[in-house]
């Protein structure tokens, strides 16, 4: 984020959770749309990642290299994950012993 202000306005759905990767891209969980929006540091929407369910409540970077995104879902009460090309600015889940092999 370079300066305060509106980067992108989303219609009808409200972002709940935001996380940055190490390049400054912003990942936004969009409830009811069931996607993760990815914005550049300049605020340009580059892609939307479709999720299994429509009610993401949180997201976090993790895994052994920080390139796995874990998304909690209110609908169904589960966690889904996907890989991305850059690690999170900070990540909180450490690799399982099996993943490190």
């Amino acid at each position: 984020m370079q300066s305060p202000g509106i980067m992108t306005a989303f219609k009808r759905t409200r972002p709940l959770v935001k996380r940055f990767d190490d390049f400054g891209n912003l990942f936004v969980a969009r409830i009811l749309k069931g996607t993760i929006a990815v914005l550049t540091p300049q605020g340009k929407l580059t892609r939307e990642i479709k999720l299994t369910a429509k009610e993401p409540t949180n997201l976090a970077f993790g895994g052994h290299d920080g390139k796995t995104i874990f998304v909690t879902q209110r609908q169904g009460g589960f966690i889904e994950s996907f890989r991305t090309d850059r690690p999170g600015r900070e990540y909180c889940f450490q690799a399982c012993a099996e993943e490190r092999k």
Side-chain angles (χ1 to χ4, degrees), residues 5-68:
I6 296 174
M7 292 175 51
T8 298
F10 293 113
K11 295 180 183 179
R12 294 191 144 184
T13 60
R14 58 187 175 131
L16 289 180
V17 179
K18 301 170 263 322
R19 299 281 184 258
F20 289 95
D21 68 13
D22 69 347
F23 187 71
N25 293 312
L26 180 63
F27 289 71
V28 181
R30 298 189 63 198
I31 194 164
L32 301 180
K33 187 163 186 191
T35 64
I36 302 296
V38 183
L39 305 167
T40 66
Q42 295 74 34
K44 180 182 177 192
L45 178 66
T46 59
R47 64 183 169 156
E48 284 205 70
I49 301 157
K50 185 174 169 64
L51 300 171
T52 302
K54 299 240 183 245
E55 297 182 20
T57 57
N58 203 353
L59 66 101
F61 283 87
H64 70 283
D65 60 359
K67 295 180 181 180
T68 301

Side-chain angles (χ1 to χ4, degrees), residues 66-85:
K67 295 180 181 180
T68 301
I69 295 180
F70 297 91
V71 182
T72 57
Q73 288 281 0
R74 186 175 79 173
Q75 181 187 46
F78 64 94
I79 297 173
E80 61 183 287
S81 65
F82 60 89
R83 298 281 294 163
T84 188
D85 57 345

